[in-house]
Amino acid sequence: MFSSVSNAVQRPRRAQLEELSRLNAQFRHWWADHHFATRDTGTKHLCHPIVGDLHLDWNAVTWAADPDLQIIVWSAEPGTPTHDALRLLGRRSESRCNQRPRLKR
């Protein structure tokens, strides 16, 4: 299933790459030489409507069996305002889940 999902996602990207290669000689050479930068870590600043500024670290984890599949892991350093804000959001979410009526099985 994951392979078919990955392929479905990749098809439009491949079509774009083929079109760019056909239309632009510079891109065609650049892409063929693979002169592009990849990043697997970084930081991101987000402004959340409830808790405000979040400064998050991210890591891209690639599955060895299928390098086209990645999981992005977001984290915050313990003790930082961002970490505290994420914990607050977690508590808010938890309390909302506890207030919802449960279905009887």
Side-chain angles (χ1 to χ4, degrees):
M1 179 176 141
F2 288 116
S3 179
S4 64
V5 171
S6 175
N7 289 335
V9 170
Q10 295 297 324
R11 271 185 237 117
R13 192 174 300 158
R14 285 187 189 126
Q16 289 174 333
L17 291 172
E18 288 170 5
E19 182 178 2
L20 286 169
S21 294
R22 183 174 50 79
L23 296 174
N24 187 305
Q26 184 178 8
F27 178 84
R28 185 171 43 254
H29 293 293
W30 171 78
W31 184 253
D33 291 341
H34 292 284
H35 288 180
F36 54 90
T38 59
R39 292 180 45 195
D40 57 4
T41 63
T43 58
K44 186 75 172 175
H45 172 243
L46 304 172
C47 185
H48 190 277
I50 296 173
V51 296
D53 288 335
L54 298 172
H55 298 275
L56 298 162
D57 297 319
W58 63 269
N59 294 292
V61 180
T62 303
W63 186 29
D66 187 347
D68 289 337
L69 296 178
Q70 286 187 327
I71 295 175
I72 307 299
V73 179
W74 298 82
S75 61
E77 189 72 32
T80 63
T82 295
H83 183 261
D84 296 341
L86 291 175
R87 292 180 60 86
L88 174 64
L89 286 173
R91 285 193 301 272
R92 284 178 52 95
S93 175
E94 188 177 281
S95 67
R96 282 186 177 168
C97 287
N98 291 336
Q99 292 172 1
R100 290 185 184 158
R102 301 200 180 235
L103 297 174
K104 293 182 181 179
R105 293 182 183 208

